[in-house]
């Protein structure tokens, strides 16, 4: 991991992610661009997403850590208005894993899914389990 153009903080965070991975999370930097990570999060046990393998792409902008990592379309406050430079890549990934354990229908990506969740949570949980089985079933 010899990229002298990277800030020391990114190098240290990357080394920690590789040497001390959080349970159920793997994050590997790209060899071509050490600001780009391939992430896999295992669906937490006792959640609708249990057994699923969720693949994400994480990118650290030039402004990092003053700006949050880029992760696609995930509704998570620390990726928006609650970001702090004190947070790290590891914190973000653990927060996403926690979101899988306790989805928040009050801050949804999809209004339809949130309405379904609020109207009939048991049915919505079954749908989440089915979709996990169909679309998040391994590497």
């Amino acid at each position: 991991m010899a990229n002298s153009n990277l800030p020391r903080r990114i190098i240290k965070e990357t080394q920690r992610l590789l040497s001390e991975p959080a349970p159920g999370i793997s994050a590997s930097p790209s060899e071509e661009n050490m600001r780009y990570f391939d992430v896999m999060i295992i669906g937490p046990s006792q959640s609708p997403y249990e057994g699923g393998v969720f693949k994400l792409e994480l990118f650290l902008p030039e402004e990092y850590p003053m700006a949050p990592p880029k992760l696609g379309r995930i509704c998570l406050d620390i990726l928006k208005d609650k970001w702090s430079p004190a947070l790290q890549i590891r914190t973000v990934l653990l927060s996403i894993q926690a979101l899988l354990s306790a989805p928040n229908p009050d801050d949804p990506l999809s209004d339809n899914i949130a309405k379904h969740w609020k109207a009939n949570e048991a049915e919505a949980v079954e749908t989440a389990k089915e979709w996990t089985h169909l679309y998040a079933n391994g590497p």
Side-chain angles (χ1 to χ4, degrees):
M1 186 170 41
N3 190 336
S4 58
N5 297 332
L6 282 178
R8 187 170 169 201
R9 172 171 168 164
I10 292 176
I11 293 169
K12 289 182 111 82
E13 284 191 53
T14 302
Q15 287 171 337
R16 182 168 182 225
L17 283 171
L18 295 172
S19 66
E20 302 171 33
I25 298 174
S26 73
S28 305
S30 166
E31 290 182 21
E32 292 84 37
N33 183 345
M34 299 291 286
R35 289 180 174 272
Y36 176 86
F37 292 77
D38 287 313
V39 177
M40 283 193 342
I41 298 179
I42 305 300
S45 63
Q46 300 179 342
S47 79
Y49 311 102
E50 181 173 9
V53 177
F54 299 89
K55 297 176 187 175
L56 306 170
E57 296 174 352
L58 180 143
F59 181 75
L60 301 175
E62 287 293 324
E63 302 83 17
Y64 181 83
M66 300 313 289
K70 304 294 182 202
L71 268 153
R73 298 174 59 204
I74 296 177
C75 286
L76 189 61
D77 60 356
I78 63 169
L79 293 175
K80 300 184 282 184
D81 57 329
K82 300 287 189 225
W83 176 253
S84 163
L87 298 173
Q88 298 183 356
I89 302 166
R90 182 183 191 91
T91 314
V92 170
L93 298 178
L94 288 167
S95 295
I96 293 168
Q97 188 181 50
L99 188 60
L100 289 170
S101 292
N104 181 2
D106 293 325
D107 186 16
L109 180 61
S110 167
D111 288 331
N112 290 339
I113 292 172
K115 285 177 188 170
H116 184 205
W117 197 278
K118 288 180 174 184
N120 188 340
E121 185 173 338
E123 188 177 278
V125 165
E126 285 307 310
T127 300
K129 287 179 181 178
E130 288 174 28
W131 289 4
T132 297
H133 179 73
L134 288 172
Y135 304 112
N137 57 4

